[in-house]
Amino acid sequence: MNTYHKYASNVFLAKCTEKHNKGDVIEVTTKYGKDNESIVYNLVFEKDGFFYYSIIRADGFNVQERAKARANRYTQWANSAIGQSRYLQQEANEGQDFLALGEPIKTDHYSGRRHRALIERNHERMRKSSELRKKAERHEEKAEYWASRENDINISMPESLELYKYKFEETEKFHADMKSGKIPRAHMCSLEYAKKEANKFKKLYELANQLWG
């Protein structure tokens, strides 16, 4: 059985008992027992008789698809909450023709209890309607957040190789130009920060190349 092995942040390899070739389609089992059909990329390393391969989901599910799914889910929840809120708001109009008359509650009359219950019922409906609208707004905010990430690329995707190659070359050049004086330093730590940024993308590019090169 092939299982998942966490290799780096956002990166899970397939831990296999047998060798595979690039392009092979294999089943990889999660810790919850779910099988995902996956495509083999590179042999990353071997250890204790196991082979660890970089993989992608055969169905194309990745961080971008996950973001889209979450955006859709929160949008559906927001629409549901709005629908319930509007329904309760409409229900809160119960007895409006009578209430519009401004009749005082007749505490010493049998109708007083019904009058008070009607007001309390409508008040509770409006309270719940307001809560649901606020809930819908929170869901809408989360939907917008995940929608903004639908084009994200990270190290778990083969597309990251080209991205991090570009980022490394860009930050390395920026550091070299700042070191030579071609680019002025904004403050005394500017060169150090530029070097750290170049080193960060160098490591990401090297990891991406190992996984997807």
Side-chain angles (χ1 to χ4, degrees):
M1 181 175 69
N2 307 314
T3 57
Y4 286 97
H5 170 79
K6 187 167 185 177
Y7 184 58
S9 179
N10 297 315
V11 179
F12 284 86
L13 305 178
K15 179 182 178 182
C16 307
T17 55
E18 298 178 357
K19 282 189 175 182
H20 296 288
N21 297 314
K22 188 170 185 175
D24 286 352
V25 178
I26 62 174
E27 294 282 347
V28 185
T29 306
T30 70
K31 63 181 180 180
Y32 303 108
K34 180 183 177 183
D35 292 330
N36 292 320
E37 198 171 64
S38 304
I39 301 172
V40 172
Y41 257 74
N42 295 333
L43 175 63
V44 178
F45 68 94
E46 298 179 35
K47 184 179 180 181
D48 299 329
F50 292 99
F51 306 91
Y52 295 80
Y53 293 95
S54 57
I55 53 171
I56 60 169
R57 288 268 293 265
D59 60 6
F61 191 81
N62 56 23
V63 293
Q64 294 179 346
E65 293 303 313
R66 184 179 293 110
K68 290 177 184 177
R70 290 184 176 179
N72 289 335
R73 188 180 307 124
Y74 280 114
T75 297
Q76 291 172 3
W77 289 345
N79 291 338
S80 175
I82 288 172
Q84 294 176 59
S85 174
R86 288 174 177 169
Y87 172 77
L88 287 170
Q89 192 171 13
Q90 186 64 32
E91 287 292 293
N93 290 323
E94 180 189 0
Q96 285 304 304
D97 290 342
F98 166 70
L99 294 174
L101 297 175
E103 289 282 346
I105 298 175
K106 300 174 181 177
T107 56
D108 57 347
H109 192 268
Y110 71 90
S111 63
R113 184 179 297 176
R114 291 202 303 270
H115 191 166
R116 185 179 292 105
L118 174 62
I119 292 173
E120 291 176 353
R121 197 158 54 242
N122 287 344
H123 176 76
E124 181 65 11
R125 287 164 175 163
M126 287 304 297
R127 185 189 66 78
K128 289 182 178 179
S129 175
S130 178
E131 286 181 355
L132 284 164
R133 188 160 291 279
K134 290 177 182 178
K135 186 176 182 180
E137 289 173 358
R138 292 194 297 271
H139 287 324
E140 286 171 347
E141 289 173 359
K142 290 181 180 179
E144 289 175 4
Y145 167 75
W146 286 108
S148 71
R149 297 190 58 182
E150 289 180 6
N151 294 315
D152 280 4
I153 295 175
N154 71 14
I155 196 68
S156 68
M157 304 166 63
E159 292 85 352
S160 66
L161 178 58
E162 183 178 353
L163 172 65
Y164 291 134
K165 181 177 185 293
Y166 167 76
K167 289 286 189 180
F168 168 54
E169 291 174 348
E170 183 182 51
T171 53
E172 188 178 45
K173 183 178 184 303
F174 182 82
H175 173 256
D177 288 346
M178 183 175 286
K179 189 175 183 179
S180 68
K182 187 175 180 179
I183 295 177
R185 306 179 191 182
H187 49 78
M188 62 183 297
C189 295
S190 293
L191 185 63
E192 180 184 351
Y193 291 158
K195 180 61 175 176
K196 284 182 178 180
E197 194 74 355
N199 286 341
K200 179 182 77 173
F201 283 110
K202 179 183 179 181
K203 290 179 181 178
L204 285 168
Y205 172 52
E206 289 173 346
L207 177 57
N209 192 51
Q210 182 185 34
L211 295 169
W212 314 116

